[in-house]
Amino acid sequence: MKIKMLLFFIVIFKVQLLFAQEVKDTTQKVTVKVGLKVDLIKQRHDKINAYADSINSYISGKLPDFLFDECFDWQKSFWPDLHSAVSVRWEILEKVHNQRALKAILNTRNKKLKRICDHKSDKVYPYLSVPMIEKSFYQLIQRRYKQI
């Protein structure tokens, strides 16, 4: 009986080896591009600073073009991710510290600054709401001017 059991286990063991998968000792190199995310964050930060600098350095004359884009907040490249909408206009204005420049912009009385974005997100992004989208650039500049 013991010999039969031993034979049985040997046969089962051999059969399992026949059906076993081949093992290779090679490795695959997997590279993860972590730097890409860091680069995008840095680019976003640099762009926002550049826009803020254009306001901080304003004295008179032609206003920076982006101030006339009432739907500027819908530029998804400035959002931290596609599911987290932010008020890009307000982020830019938070970096503005030149009260004289803000006052000079407000004194231009340019009607284009008072336009409100009429972009409807209900069709494309029904779950998404952009903070302060109902405010014009003029209103946001006034708010920042009062804060400083």
Side-chain angles (χ1 to χ4, degrees):
M1 180 75 168
K2 288 184 179 183
I3 295 180
K4 286 183 182 179
M5 277 295 238
L6 182 64
L7 217 69
F8 177 75
F9 283 117
I10 291 174
V11 169
I12 296 240
F13 183 69
K14 290 287 186 185
V15 170
Q16 282 182 340
L17 285 176
L18 290 174
F19 293 116
Q21 294 180 351
E22 185 178 327
V23 178
K24 294 183 179 179
D25 289 332
T26 60
T27 60
Q28 291 182 348
K29 185 177 180 181
V30 178
T31 57
V32 180
K33 294 189 177 186
V34 177
L36 182 62
K37 177 88 172 167
V38 173
D39 289 344
L40 291 175
I41 292 169
K42 184 174 177 353
Q43 285 176 358
R44 177 183 183 275
H45 179 72
D46 291 346
K47 286 180 185 178
I48 287 176
N49 283 339
Y51 285 121
D53 287 344
S54 70
I55 294 174
N56 275 322
S57 61
Y58 180 77
I59 298 170
S60 65
K62 186 179 183 247
L63 291 171
D65 289 335
F66 76 95
L67 292 176
F68 301 122
D69 184 0
E70 64 273 11
C71 294
F72 193 77
D73 288 336
W74 280 104
Q75 293 192 25
K76 296 165 200 73
S77 62
F78 287 104
W79 295 355
D81 60 62
L82 289 178
H83 303 289
S84 304
V86 296
S87 177
V88 180
R89 297 176 303 159
W90 186 247
E91 276 193 45
I92 291 167
L93 289 171
E94 283 182 318
K95 295 191 179 291
V96 174
H97 303 291
N98 187 344
Q99 194 174 25
R100 288 182 188 164
L102 293 175
K103 186 67 174 171
I105 292 170
L106 293 172
N107 285 339
T108 63
R109 303 200 193 290
N110 193 317
K111 292 182 181 181
K112 291 180 183 178
L113 291 174
K114 294 185 178 182
R115 293 188 296 196
I116 296 174
C117 181
D118 61 355
H119 179 81
K120 302 294 181 207
S121 68
D122 299 343
K123 293 179 184 175
V124 182
Y125 304 101
Y127 57 89
L128 198 60
S129 66
V130 177
M132 295 187 238
I133 195 69
E134 71 284 348
K135 300 211 182 281
S136 68
F137 242 129
Y138 188 84
Q139 291 170 314
L140 293 174
I141 291 170
Q142 275 183 325
R143 182 177 174 181
R144 182 62 182 157
Y145 178 76
K146 289 176 185 174
Q147 276 184 351
I148 297 178

